[in-house]
Amino acid sequence: PINAVRKDAALRIIGKHCPTFMLFCGGPDQWAPHFHIEDLESIWRQGKIPSNISTAYYENLVHDFIVHPEMVQPVVKFCITSILSSRQEVISRL
């Protein structure tokens, strides 16, 4: 589908410049349905997007997590872990 082609191209461009981490929420999520992560994982496995593009899925997380105090910590942890894991790649580009 044309949307997948655009997604491939955009992620290849982004991947040339920086590692990218995408966190997907459990469902049903009207803004990012589960098939989006499945599409991304499929094109990643096919080698169509760089290996520094990665995804995570938290089934118990909802899109408006910020108003649910118990959900904030897992998101913060994801962000910090993602940043720290990409540190060496970013330093090597400097």
Side-chain angles (χ1 to χ4, degrees), residues 5-7 15 32-33 37 43 50-51 57 63 78 83 88 92 94:
V5 172
R6 289 185 194 148
K7 195 182 305 181
I37 192 171
I43 60 177
S51 61
Y57 174 75
H63 201 90
F78 169 80
I83 292 166
Q88 188 57 45
S92 68
L94 297 177

Side-chain angles (χ1 to χ4, degrees), residues 2-80:
I2 192 132
N3 189 28
V5 172
R6 289 185 194 148
K7 195 182 305 181
D8 291 7
L11 291 172
R12 279 194 301 275
I13 292 167
I14 292 168
K16 288 181 182 178
H17 300 285
C18 63
T20 302
F21 302 87
M22 293 178 271
L23 177 58
F24 286 82
C25 303
D29 185 346
Q30 67 188 35
W31 294 282
H34 193 265
F35 71 84
H36 286 193
I37 192 171
E38 292 169 351
D39 290 347
L40 285 169
E41 289 173 344
S42 174
I43 60 177
W44 186 84
R45 281 191 303 272
Q46 295 170 32
K48 293 181 179 179
I49 57 175
S51 61
N52 66 348
I53 306 287
S54 59
T55 59
Y57 174 75
Y58 290 4
E59 185 174 340
N60 296 322
L61 185 67
V62 294
H63 201 90
D64 63 343
F65 70 89
I66 200 68
V67 297
H68 303 280
E70 71 279 4
M71 294 183 184
V72 173
Q73 185 59 33
V75 174
V76 170
K77 184 177 180 180
F78 169 80
C79 293
I80 291 172

